Structure formats: structure tokens, C-alpha cells
Amino acid sequence: MPISRRFLTVIACNTLLLFATVLTHNRVTAQSSSSGTKEFSFEDFEGNGQAKYCCSSGDLTDEVSNPNTSGSSINQSPHCGTYKRSENNQYDWLSYRTSSITDASTYTNGQSLFYMDIFTSTAPIGTEIQITLQDGTETSRGWPYGRHSRYTATTSTLNEWERLYFTFSYRPDPNILDVSITELIIQFAPNSLTSDLYYMDNLDSYVKDTTSPTMPIPTVSPTPQPIIRSKSSSEVIVIPDPPVPSDDDLRVVVRSDCPHWQQELLDWHDPSTWESGEVPLGEGEDVMIPLNSKVVVKRSIDGILGLVTIPTSSELILGEDINNQQIEINTTGMDVRGVLRAGSETCRLQSPLSITLHGMRPLDASTVPQAVTYKGIGVSGKLELHGKRYYRTWTRLARTVHPGDNKLLLQHSVNWEKGQEIVLVTTALKDSRDWHQNEVLIVESVDNDGFGGSVVKVTSGVVHTHIANMGYQAEVGLLSRSILINGAEADSEATDPDPGTCTTNRKNYGNYGTPCPNKELTGYGGHIIIYNGGLGYVEGVELYRMGQTNVLGRYPMHFHVLGDGCTGCYFRDSSIHHSFYRCISIHGTHNTLVSENVAYDVIGYCYYLEDGVEENNTISFNLSALIHFLGTAATGTAQTTSLAYQSPSLTLPADVTASGYYITNVHNNIIGNAASGGWAGFAFPVLHSPLGPHKNLNMRPSSRTALTIDGNTAHSSGWWWYHTGTFYSGGALYYDTDGTTLVYNAGRDTSRTRQPCLKDMCATGNCNGYCQPQDRAWIRMTNTKAFLSPSVGLNSWSGRMELLGYEAHDVGLSVESLESGFWIDDMLVVCRTGADWAMPPGSSATLAKGDGFFWYDTNQEHIITNSTFRNCGYRYSAFGDHYDHSPSRGCGNSVQNGCRSGSTVFGFLTHSDQFTPEIMQGTRLIHFQDCGRRFRLYNYRGDDDPTTVSGRGQNWIDVDGSVSGFKEPTIIGSGLEDAGLWWTVDDEVTHDPQGPLKFIKQNSGPFRGLGHIRFLWDDTLHNQVGNGKCGNGDGSPCPPLGYIKHFGPMFASDHGLPVTANPDIVGPVGGYGWLLKLNGGAPHTVRIELTEVLSTTPLVLGVAYPLGTSFTITAHAAYCSPSSYYTCKEIFHEVPSMSNVRESLGNAYHVDSNGMLTLRIIQSPKTYTGSPEWIMPDLNTIGKWGKGYAIGSFSRGGVTLPTMGYGPYLEIRANCPGGNDGVFCAAIPQDVSPQVCEDGYEQVAYDKCCQVGDSSVCVFPGGIEEISPTKTPAQSPTKTPTQSPTNTPTQSPT
């Protein structure tokens, strides 16, 4: 009797439900083996299996009859099993317990192999099946914990047995030991809601046999690449779909309200229509449509007409040829004051129609504008063009195509037609005029049966590989439409073509090729402009050879300065290709729709918000590819580029960075768009003032709040500058001092930044006004994907941002962000997917980085949560065994898909003595999968250069210990040797040699945290920072002028952290205190500012002074006027002990018998000191006048970072006995350190003293006893480096 094993909820297996949060991944191409030996069977349904069924979400039935023994050479066993997948579980699973896998590394390295026989008559060809090995004791903590390794195979046939070989994919949790496997999980068609039935048998383990070549592995069916469906085309993000058209919209037969079917229309070709009694001849004569008339064109018009004018009282209706032949109209232009119609929304034109626009380019075209009707359709009335509805207008590949293939598997069904042109978009890293791999193909047939998408057969084989993997897929777009508007071939094409032979002296990833500058400047196609109160409703139209290079306002489609008067206007499901200038310009117009369009081979920015005032528009579900910049691509060094200036050959200087999307104002909806090529894919330039006719408008586009920015993807850009992202929020466009010449700075412009604000500061009369913390807004981008960029996935030079749901695949760096207030959540970074990179001659993937994320060096707040890094960091042999043993970890030195040898998952910029870190970065729920080098303190001057202030002060709040591996809150600090014991606060601190870094267990003390201050004592000295001393990586000297270390004898022999002319100090707080000693003695005047510290983590500062010194210590608020409600300064009072200082509200000080001054430093409110009494605020203290909060912080995703306030400061004035000597007291203070432990106790940490002889009796500052006196230090996690001491501090330098 067959035995049905229905899933039961059992404690041992309930954590398997967490698979519902896991997205599929297939990084490794299927491989074949030539020989092997069967080792054992996990399950053969004959009672010989070494694995035991546990549980499942579907139905497993034992010992059913083999459905096909006679016709199969693969499986002739009498019995097998069936598995009925549960349609209610997206990640349905079947679990076996096993103890047979004693060393799982043999499967990951290919020495051991998984095979399984599969038979199905319902699951489509290409169905993916996964095997996951896991340690069941670790899976309760959620994905990816416990999952050792994953293996994949795909079906290739129906109604017959096939032998599947499972290839190793990746290591979800590299911390799981090879010897700890307890469970084997099988998933059929993961990430789907199907209920297919699978016959399964002979789940076997084979050992690869290299010594017996005559013993073959069992016959294995060829394993095709999996079919990628739209719902599984991304691992983390969800890409939205365009609205599904109604059946009526797609029907050909049932149409209504067709304008060319109206009664009493006048026929163009009827002489009686015309006042002259003669049909207009196509000999260049101008034509005026009769007044108060509706004229219909039912067949082609011979010759070339001059200007066709449609009066305000008239309509020109373009109909359909009775024989379904193309209607052709040639003209020098149209002046649409009335209505020009072709079809309607309920009567999409089915028969072909073409309008060809004629006219030579004037020599002064870019400086002397022609009439809008010259080689154009100028619409001050209404334009209604409704071509046949094709859906979808573009989609993505469902399977990789290779050279010679003539069938494209698409993710969605399409209704494209034989003979139409399509563009197969590149998946190379460069997409430029001088080198690209886009292909324009002709459809031979479309088959919508089989797998939920379409199979499009083309008339010729493809030339290049176009990738579709689990991370990204090439786009395929439809170029042809039933209505064609185009520029005449004879007078539109550029007369200065690019010969394609130019090179540059700047090498990009090994390649010198570049488009030739000052070429392709004479293209002069047709154009359409809706202006002067006009209305435009355009759909199903192909615009070809349109746009006029460098001619302002002459674009393929242009909504020109219509304000709110064109609300509801649209340009949709159309195409623009081989455009000489842009695609669609929304100019001074609001509330329009640009959707489902395909743009290819375009000069200049494509989808274009022209002046920065355009708002409430929707740009959705569009595709752009092969976008050409004008002139020479913007590039530079460091963070700067050369300025570009407006000129006759560069009307818009920003076109040196032409990209698919030009978003000058984020108060628009940008949804579901895709970009390939261009300098970037999506550009968000900073405009402090509007442009063009709106230049005097009182608004700041860069301060506007964002609407919806969701589901956008970009790839194959970022080639020309290593800071360019496929998404680029940067570059500033503004007028020069003459007020008329536009200037574009493509790099980081710190004088023009993006600061979104809920309050319109311009409306208050000062666009430069300060946006109060409570009024600040964040630009939110959701479900974003970047891939195939050798530079950066997304770069934001400025603008507070929340990046929620983000994927980056095959990129040099995932995100580059420089902003105080940047949150990244739900991010997946796959620095290398394993796919070979298609690059131009001379290029190498090893010249591109493989970095996960870089922390910046000053004035930032960055939070990253719930994020995964996979195959990032160089596979560096020196660090091979610290975190991950996998031979496939990180990226190697392959020219096809390797990376630079210095690549790292997390990097820190440490070149600067001038710009140094505060408390700037925090993380939570970080996962590493198959990564190489994890950490690097990066000084571009070289590792042998002297260490820097920024290097020694690097820090990081690892909220949950997912980075350190401690699995508890961790403070991460610099591991540089000349930081002394500053970060080595106890003997549990782990030293990571990769960074190098220090990992500090935050829970080992009750008050542990981070603090930051700037300690100023000599303005003459400090003012030299960046100007001869302590420079920004320029080699300027920055010697120690003193040191700071922790209180207590444990640190007595340590020199401490160097204090330099740049006196920024950041480090662990919550201990007994910081002891500062300057080489010159005791400073008589001190100013402490830029404080960051939480009220729960006391920062006690001690400075030794000569005996007899008295003090005046005052806290000063900024921008403050005293009142009965608020005070502006506070004079500190003296208290009798150091413990009183610690317990104070931060307005007290103590001087001991040795002259040691101690005081508690708190983060005080910016604009007041008391209300009216002095307060020590916390993060929840309400701010002045009930607005905002008293002190700043940035908190997202369970991580909180304090933010310093500019302006308030603490002043210490010392009355030194014996007077002063320069900036110091003349007398020399004693060299002492405050007592931290009571008699009978010894110091064991910067914040802990234990009883001599009994380490279980311990106290913390303030006399707090240790809560768990018997507690033993937690064992170092498996992520902890093993090649250097893990629980002992680095030896102090002698």
C-alpha cells in the first residue's frame, strides 16, 4: 500500500517555515563530470535509503509504482515516490534527516555529487529543484542561519524519467561547519505557488572518481538553464508591473468611437473638399484645412506637402486604408491649432500610418530658432494619436541567449507581430556608441504557449550573449508601431558621423575607446511640440529619426510650458529610436503621464524634466538603452570633474553626462523604469534654482520632497568615471555669473547640495534658509536594482535618502553615499555573480573593484539593516581562514569575472588627517555569504604610509553583533597598532587582522557606548589643519601633540591615542574616564564642541593641571537669546568627588588633591542650556518651544546614531598659578591618573574592577555590581579570525 506522509507541525522541523523568506539563487552554471562511483542512496523508496523523512509542506507518498519502467533507460526501479507540491506555500519544502554527510565540503568542492531521478507530466520544462544542506539546530534564528550550502538542477523534459545532477550554488551561512549537517531539504519550484506532482527516486550521493575513468556516472539528462519568471527575476526587490490593458484595448475587431468612421467627413482626396476645387498637390505647397470642417485622409498623399495648417475650428483625421495599406504623408510641418486625430482611445488604429517630416538643418540651427512648425508638428490645439496597442511594450529575457540563437524566451506574454523590429538590450558593462552589444532584430514568429511567457523567434541568430540569471536579465523592447512619425532620411541624418576610431588618454578598466568628440552634432530630425495651451494624447506611436541635436526645444516629443493646463495628457506605449536629441521632454508642465515607452539609440538625456519646476508627473514602466552623451564624457579625479559650459555645440552642458532619465525634481512619480547605457542610467542633478523661462521663479528644485520612486533598474552604465552610479544623485547645474550661461559640475559640488525639506523655505523669503530638524524630509527609493556597472551601483553625493529594497549585482561598489542621514534596508549585494563580464578590448574585470560598502570619513550618519553581501571582497590567501573556508569565496583574479586585489566587503576611508570620523555608522542584521576579505582600512597613499587621525578613529556600532559574529551588541573600532589600547578595553576584545579592527562586546559593561568631542586649545595651531598640517591625504605632517587614554593602571603603560592639531577624539565611553595629556602641558583655555554622546553612556574627561589651579567652566548655547523660559549659558559648579561628577547632569567638575580636573561631557541642546534650569537631555527630550527634539539623532531600523550640533560649546578657563606660557600654564602638572578601583580590587577593563583573587566579584563605575558574577565570557564565534589571538589584546608597542 502506498503510504502518504502529510506534513505535521513538529518542533524539530517548524523552523523550516522560514524558507518562506528565502529567495532563490543560482550562481554557478551546470557542469558535467566524466566519471564517478555511487557512494550511497539517501532515498530509493526500496528501503535502502540512509536519510529519514522528517516532514514537509506538501504530500510525500511512498512506494508507488514506477510510471514508466518500460520506456526508460534511466530508472527501471519497480517503486518510487511521489511528491505533490503545496500550492499554498511559496517555498514548499520536503525535509529529510541525515547523519550520512560527515564532511559537506566534499559537495561544495565537487568531490561528492548529488543525483536524483525525476518524472513529471505537469511541471513545465525548466522547473528548478533545489537541495539545501543545513544544521537543524541553528535554523530557528531565521534565514540564512543554519543553511550550509545549496545545490540546484532544472528539468528538461516531460513524461519521461531524467537523471538530474545538482550543481553547487552558494553558501548561505558560511559559519556552519562542514561536519554539522543534520538535514537535507528538497524544494520543488521554489518561489512559486504551484501544485505539480513529481515522481522522484534514487536520491544518491556519488563520489567523483578520478582514478577509474572507465566507470561512468549514470546517464544525466542535459541540464538547461532555469527559466526566469518575472516573479523570480529578483531576490529581494519587487519590480512592479504596468497596468494590464482591458480586453477592449487589445481587441482588433470590436472598436468604438472611431473618428474616421464619423458621418459627413470631408475626404482629402475629394476636390470638392477644397475651395480651389483641386486636391492639394504634393509639390511643397502649404495647405490650409477648410474652416469649420473635419477632413479625413483614407489613403496616401502623393509628394511632399508644405506646411499643413489646421485652424482652430477644424480637424484633420488620419484614417485607415481600405486595403490595409500604409497611409503615407510627407510634409515640411504641421500647425495644429484645431485637432489632429488618428484613432481614439477606444479605436486604436490598426492599419499602418506614417508621417515623414522634411527640412534641411540651418547652419545656425542651435543659435537661431526656427518656427515650431519647421520640420515639426506644432500643437496649440489638440493632438490625438492612438496606434495599435501592443502589450507588453518591453519585457525581460527568461533565459540567456547565446550567439547563434534565434529564439528569445521572454518573461511575459506579448502580442508582437511578424516583421516588427525589436531591440535586444546589452548585458555588457559598456553601452556606448563606440562599443556596445545591443541588437536590433526582426520578429519571425511569437508563440505564447508553454511556460507563461512568450517565445519570440527572430529572422537571424543573435551575435552576442545576453544574460538572464537569477539576479538580472536583459530587456527586450518593441520598436515598431502602427503609427510612424519620422524625419526624412535624406535630410535628417548627421553629416558628421562618428568614425568609431577615437581613443582617449584616460584608460577605463583597460580600454581606451571613446566616442569621437564633436561628432554627431548635425542630426536634424522631426519633432513634436505641445505648446501655448495645447493638449497631447499620444499612444502606440513610433518616433524615428526625430529630435534636432543641440536645438533647444526641438525634441521627439515635447510638452512645453503648459503648467496645469495639460493635466491628463500622456505619451505612452510608444517608441523613440535613433533620436538626434532626447526622447520626451516634460517642460514647465505638471500632471502628465509618460509610460510604457521604449527608447533606443538616443543623443542627450532621454526622459527629461527640463527646468526643474515640473511636478506631479508620472514617468513609469519606460525603457531606455544606448544613450549618447555630447562632447567628452565628464570624468575627473577624487570627487571633482571639469566644469562644462553652455555653447553652440553643447546647448545643455549637463549632456556631457547624458543618461536615460534626467530627474531635476523628485516631486514626481518615477516607477518601474529600466535604463541601460548612458553616463548613468538615472541622473538626479542638483538645481538650486529653476532654468530657462522659469529661472526667476521663487523655488528650489533640489529641496523638493519626493513622491514615489519605486521599482527602477539600471545597468551597463557608470563606465566613464569611477564615481558614477547607474543611479547618480549628484552634479549641479546653474547659471554662471553672467546670469545666462549654464554651467554643469558633474562631480561633488559641496556649495550646492540637495536638502529636501517639508517646509518651503523659498516661500518664507529665503531659499537658503535653514531647514529645522523637525522639517527635514528624506528621499525614499524602494525596490531598486543596479547591475553590470564597473563603478558604483548607486551614488548619492547629497540628499537625505532611504534606500529600501535594493539589489546590486556585478558592480564595483554597491552604494556610495555622502550624507548625514542615509538608511539602507533590505539590501542584497552580489559583487560577482559568476557570470563572465562582456567588456571591450583590453578590459579586465580585475580592474574593477568588488567592494560591498565603504564608510565615509567625516560628518555622516549611515545605517544599514537587514542586508546581505555575497561574493564580495578579494579571495585573499592571507585572510583565507579567518571567516570563510570556501574556495569560491569573494572574487578572484579572473579577467572575466574577478576583481581588484584590494576589494573588501566593508571599507573605511582612512587617508585623511583633516576629515575624521565622529559616531557615523551603525548596522543590524548583516549577513555574509561566500565573501572574501571582509574589512579594510583603506588609505590610498598605501599601507606603509603613516597612519592617520581618521584611521585611528574609525568606529562602528554593530547593534546585534551580526558583523562581529558575537551575536550580541558590539562596538567596532580601529585596530591600528599606534592607536595603542584605546580600543582594547578589556581582554575579551577580539583583534581582526583584516581591517585591522577591534571588536568590543558592548554587553560586558552596563554603560558602554561611543563618544565624540573636538578638544581645541590653540586656534593658531588648529587653523593650520588642511593648510600645511594634518591634510586630506596630501602627506602633510600631523604629529602627535599629546595622547588620550582610559583611566586606570591597566592603561598606565599605554601611550594612548595620539591627539594632533586636528583634535577630534572618538572612542569608547561608559568607562571610568578619558585621561588627556598634551605634550606642552596643561592648556589654560579649552573649547570643547561637536559633542556626540548618549546620556546613558557617561563621558568623563580628565586633564591634569598644576596644583592650585582654579577654573571657570561655562556651557554656551548657539543662536540663543535668554528669556524666562530658556537660558543660554551655564556656569559649572565644583563637586567634592569624581563620583559626583559622573552622577551629575553634566554641569559639575571636580579637582582632586593632585590637580586632576574631571568633568562630565554631555550632548547639550543646540539653542539653549536650560529650560530655564540646566538639563541633561536624552533622545526623547522635546526641543525648544515644543518643536522637534532637544538633541539630534538619526534612528532607523533599530539603530540610533547621535548627531552633533554645530554652534554650542563648552569653555574651560584655567587660572594657572604662576601665569601662562603661551597657550599652556607655565607650571607643569603632575603626571597622575585618577584612582578607579577600591582597595582589594584590580582593574580588568576600562569600566570594571574585580576583587583580587576572586574575579567573580566585580564592580563597574558608580559602584554597580556585576549582575551575573558567575558569568563566563562567551566563546568567540566562528566568524572570529583564527590566525591571531582572539581573546587577548594586541601587545602595546614598546
Side-chain angles (χ1 to χ4, degrees), residues 238-242 394 396 596 619-623 661 669-675 682 708-713 782-783:
V238 177
I239 298 176
D241 290 322
W394 63 276
R396 295 179 172 89
E596 297 183 66
I619 300 174
S620 61
F621 309 113
N622 301 289
L623 170 65
Y661 300 81
N669 297 301
I670 315 296
I671 302 171
N673 303 286
F682 291 76
T708 301
I709 306 176
D710 177 69
N712 301 293
T713 67
T782 54
N783 294 307

Side-chain angles (χ1 to χ4, degrees), residues 38 178 268 326 335 401 785 812 948 1121 1125 1228 1249:
K38 180 177 176 179
D178 296 329
W268 177 287
Q326 177 168 282
D335 185 359
V401 294
K785 183 187 290 188
T948 60
S1121 298
Y1125 298 99
I1228 303 300
C1249 294

Side-chain angles (χ1 to χ4, degrees), residues 406 504 586 644 713 1200 1220:
N406 68 344
T504 177
I586 302 175
T713 67
T1200 297
N1220 301 328

Side-chain angles (χ1 to χ4, degrees), residues 148-405:
H148 175 277
S149 50
R150 175 162 288 177
Y151 309 81
T152 62
T154 54
T155 64
S156 63
T157 188
L158 290 172
N159 297 312
E160 60 181 317
W161 284 103
E162 61 178 325
R163 184 77 159 150
L164 296 184
Y165 161 47
F166 289 78
T167 61
F168 168 64
S169 180
Y170 71 111
R171 291 282 308 275
D173 186 352
N175 300 310
I176 298 302
L177 300 178
D178 296 329
V179 297
S180 64
I181 304 304
T182 62
E183 295 175 358
L184 182 151
I185 310 300
I186 304 172
Q187 289 182 282
F188 296 89
N191 196 20
S192 70
L193 295 173
T194 56
S195 58
D196 295 306
L197 180 71
Y198 301 84
Y199 290 85
M200 55 183 289
D201 203 358
N202 302 320
L203 174 55
D204 298 334
S205 175
Y206 272 70
V207 176
K208 189 173 183 179
D209 190 349
T210 59
T211 61
S212 303
T214 60
M215 182 177 292
I217 271 183
T219 303
V220 180
S221 303
T223 303
Q225 181 198 354
I227 292 175
I228 310 298
R229 294 172 173 82
S230 61
K231 297 302 182 184
S232 61
S233 62
S234 301
E235 292 197 46
V236 170
I237 70 169
V238 177
I239 298 176
D241 290 322
V244 178
S246 67
D247 290 340
D248 289 341
D249 199 16
L250 294 173
R251 282 178 186 157
V252 175
V253 178
V254 180
R255 295 187 289 171
S256 62
D257 297 324
C258 297
H260 53 286
W261 291 351
Q262 297 178 68
Q263 300 298 315
E264 300 179 358
L265 297 180
L266 303 180
D267 189 338
W268 177 287
H269 289 89
D270 185 344
S272 65
T273 296
W274 308 100
E275 184 178 351
S276 65
E278 296 181 351
V279 177
L281 298 176
E283 298 178 353
E285 64 176 298
D286 295 341
V287 178
M288 173 74 75
I289 302 299
L291 298 174
N292 301 306
S293 66
K294 295 182 179 180
V295 177
V296 64
V297 177
K298 298 181 179 180
R299 56 190 172 90
S300 295
I301 299 173
D302 295 333
I304 300 175
L305 301 170
L307 177 65
V308 177
T309 300
I310 306 171
T312 56
S313 61
S314 301
E315 295 186 15
L316 177 61
I317 299 170
L318 309 179
E320 294 174 312
D321 185 274
I322 192 171
N323 297 314
N324 201 35
Q325 296 298 308
Q326 177 168 282
I327 294 178
E328 297 182 357
I329 301 172
N330 288 269
T331 177
T332 62
M334 290 185 169
D335 185 359
V336 183
R337 303 171 188 176
V339 182
L340 175 62
R341 295 187 192 275
S344 68
E345 290 185 358
T346 57
C347 181
R348 305 289 288 264
L349 220 59
Q350 305 299 313
S351 298
L353 163 69
S354 76
I355 300 174
T356 302
L357 297 164
H358 297 257
M360 297 294 293
R361 180 185 181 102
L363 294 176
D364 55 0
S366 62
T367 55
V368 179
Q370 302 296 308
V372 296
T373 55
Y374 181 73
K375 203 174 186 179
I377 301 175
V379 181
S380 56
K382 180 188 283 189
L383 179 66
E384 294 258 11
L385 301 177
H386 305 276
K388 184 175 180 179
R389 179 63 159 122
Y390 293 102
Y391 183 81
R392 296 174 176 228
T393 57
W394 63 276
T395 179
R396 295 179 172 89
L397 287 178
R399 179 178 286 173
T400 295
V401 294
H402 301 280
D405 290 350

Side-chain angles (χ1 to χ4, degrees), residues 98-161:
T98 181
S99 59
S100 301
I101 300 177
T102 57
D103 182 3
S105 69
T106 63
Y107 293 92
T108 59
N109 64 26
Q111 296 176 24
S112 296
L113 314 168
F114 290 109
Y115 288 89
M116 182 164 61
D117 295 344
I118 290 291
F119 177 103
T120 181
S121 59
T122 59
I125 293 173
T127 295
E128 182 175 13
I129 302 174
Q130 295 181 352
I131 291 175
T132 302
L133 302 182
Q134 63 186 38
D135 178 354
T137 65
E138 293 287 333
T139 57
S140 62
R141 293 189 291 129
W143 175 264
Y145 294 110
R147 282 75 177 185
H148 175 277
S149 50
R150 175 162 288 177
Y151 309 81
T152 62
T154 54
T155 64
S156 63
T157 188
L158 290 172
N159 297 312
E160 60 181 317
W161 284 103

